[in-house]
Amino acid sequence: MNKELHLETMTIKSYAEIYDIWNDIPGIGISDADSEESITRYLERNPNSSFVYYDDNKIVGTILCGHDGRRGYIHHTCVLPEYRSQNIGKILVEKALEALKDEGINKCHLFVFYDNELGNAFWNKIGWKKRSDLLIYSKNI
């Protein structure tokens, strides 16, 4: 494995590769909201808080992060299996939270599928607290 690992701000130019990673990682929920058009709008609205982690020219990890002016939200945090246990996920999260803090956001939420054991274990390990006092409601419009 090449050790030319580095972090960059996510841009839409890498959408196809990013989408392929999201689509291949179990536990990442892909929907219409992940279309290139939707992600373009998201990144335009939140240009400084989503990141990709590279090994040379290959994306090996992602975090989609933004805010609504009040709270931050993290989506699609993932690292390719062969790059796990190198703190890449933790680095992505720390960088995203730093970006939110720089924009005056002091609380962040994320969504993890109930049965995503790997994802739930990761968030617990890095100090996030699972809430049991909230329910999520969704509606297609």
Side-chain angles (χ1 to χ4, degrees):
M1 185 180 336
N2 191 317
K3 292 301 178 186
E4 293 298 321
L5 300 172
H6 64 282
L7 185 77
E8 290 184 14
T9 302
M10 185 184 290
T11 65
I12 201 62
K13 71 180 179 186
S14 301
Y15 173 80
E17 186 177 2
I18 291 166
Y19 184 86
D20 287 346
I21 291 170
W22 291 345
N23 201 41
D24 289 343
I25 299 284
I28 300 291
I30 299 297
S31 71
D32 293 344
D34 298 305
S35 70
E36 186 169 2
E37 180 183 341
S38 295
I39 298 300
T40 297
R41 281 194 310 268
Y42 192 90
L43 294 175
E44 287 172 352
R45 186 178 166 110
N46 297 282
N48 302 312
S49 53
S50 295
F51 299 92
V52 290
Y53 211 96
Y54 282 92
D55 181 359
D56 276 342
N57 294 318
K58 176 184 177 182
I59 296 174
V60 300
T62 73
I63 188 166
L64 185 65
C65 180
H67 66 86
D68 59 13
R70 187 174 159 272
R71 293 286 186 248
Y73 299 93
I74 290 176
H75 313 272
H76 299 349
T77 305
C78 60
V79 175
L80 294 178
E82 62 270 28
Y83 288 86
R84 293 182 184 155
S85 299
Q86 298 180 48
N87 286 323
I88 293 171
K90 185 176 179 182
I91 291 166
L92 287 163
V93 172
E94 288 171 352
K95 187 69 172 172
L97 294 178
E98 180 183 305
L100 290 175
K101 188 174 181 179
D102 288 348
E103 295 191 35
I105 304 300
N106 62 13
K107 190 168 194 172
C108 186
H109 302 293
L110 58 93
F111 304 96
V112 181
F113 285 118
Y114 187 81
D115 62 353
N116 182 347
E117 292 178 20
L118 187 63
N120 283 297
F122 169 76
W123 293 109
N124 186 55
K125 180 180 176 182
I126 65 168
W128 287 64
K129 303 298 178 211
K130 181 171 72 172
R131 294 186 62 165
S132 59
D133 60 330
L134 297 173
L135 297 174
I136 297 172
Y137 291 83
S138 299
K139 182 175 182 170
N140 290 335
I141 54 175

